[in-house]
Amino acid sequence: AQSVAQPEDQVNVAEGNPLTVKCTYSVSGNPYLFWYVQYPNRGLQFLLKYITGDNLVKGSYGFEAEFNKSQTSFHLKKPSALVSDSALYFCAVRDPSGAGSYQLTFGKGTKLSVIP
Amino acid sequence: EAGVTQFPSHSVIEKGQTVTLRCDPISGHDNLYWYRRVMGKEIKFLLHFVKESKQDESGMPNNRFLAERTGGTYSTLKVQPAELEDSGVYFCANHITGTGELFFGEGSRLTVL
């Protein structure tokens, strides 16, 4: 069975500094990996995904993530944090063998607070 | 194109009562998913509809939960009778054809007192 770990419940970063939100995964075969964000009082929004190809994936709002197969990681990064980036971030994995089903396995989420 | 719409946005009920959550998916999308996040925990898969048929309901916690999708359009998720541990946010989602992405609604927050 697949699993996702987000080791940090909360990440605090000063505005303008780089940010990293960590994610590691466990899945048989090659994973499909996703990051979603939940802003206060809003639903989950897709940020970016890795399916295949370049290990560095660029997504919405200036975010990017790097797929590292040897470390089974998919950390989310942004070079310069904005206060408006403060939100709850979820990493998710999909087992590619699940044909026809887009069932995702999520991590617990990491609360990002960007301090002005 | 309208997104996934869920209501109520927040429901507060007492233990033992019944609640029905509704999801209106993106028009024409056959695949509909329900997920749930209990406070501080992972977002967990509940079930998957293809049109009106339950493709996978392996995530449904117990028989107090009943999901339906009559006519393959909107879906309801009924909890009867509700227990304290059912509190959380219930999300509905469609997948975006050809992208592998799920498009989520804003969720229905359920509080059981």
Side-chain angles (χ1 to χ4, degrees), chain A residues 29-108:
Chain A
N30 296 317
Y32 293 174
L33 294 158
F34 302 82
W35 276 101
Y36 283 82
V37 60
Q38 185 180 19
Y39 296 102
N41 301 314
R42 300 298 302 275
L44 289 165
Q45 294 182 32
F46 169 81
L47 265 184
L48 51 78
K49 66 183 178 188
Y50 171 83
I51 304 295
T52 186
D54 193 347
N55 288 344
L56 184 64
V57 178
K58 295 187 183 296
S60 307
Y61 312 120
F63 283 92
E64 58 189 28
E66 185 166 14
F67 170 61
N68 187 317
K69 188 172 184 178
S70 63
Q71 296 186 1
T72 62
S73 68
F74 190 56
H75 300 330
L76 181 70
K77 300 182 179 184
K78 186 172 182 180
S80 178
L82 300 173
V83 173
S84 57
D85 293 328
S86 298
L88 196 53
Y89 290 81
F90 292 93
C91 182
V93 66
R94 176 192 161 203
D95 183 346
S97 66
S101 172
Y102 286 79
Q103 182 185 144
L104 298 180
T105 298
F106 285 87
K108 288 185 179 181

Side-chain angles (χ1 to χ4, degrees), chain B residues 35-91:
Chain B
Y35 284 79
R36 174 177 76 168
R37 183 176 189 240
V38 172
M39 184 62 69
K41 300 283 185 72
E42 299 90 344
I43 299 169
K44 290 205 169 182
F45 168 81
L46 295 179
L47 87 158
H48 169 206
F49 281 101
V50 177
K51 297 184 179 179
E52 67 274 13
S53 299
K54 293 174 186 175
Q55 181 80 5
D56 180 354
E57 53 183 329
S58 61
M60 294 288 266
N62 51 61
N63 59 11
R64 295 185 293 102
F65 288 75
L66 175 64
E68 295 181 319
R69 192 181 182 196
T70 306
T73 55
Y74 71 90
S75 175
T76 58
L77 180 63
K78 179 189 288 188
V79 185
Q80 179 183 29
E83 298 288 345
L84 299 178
E85 64 265 24
D86 300 332
S87 295
V89 181
Y90 291 76
F91 292 101

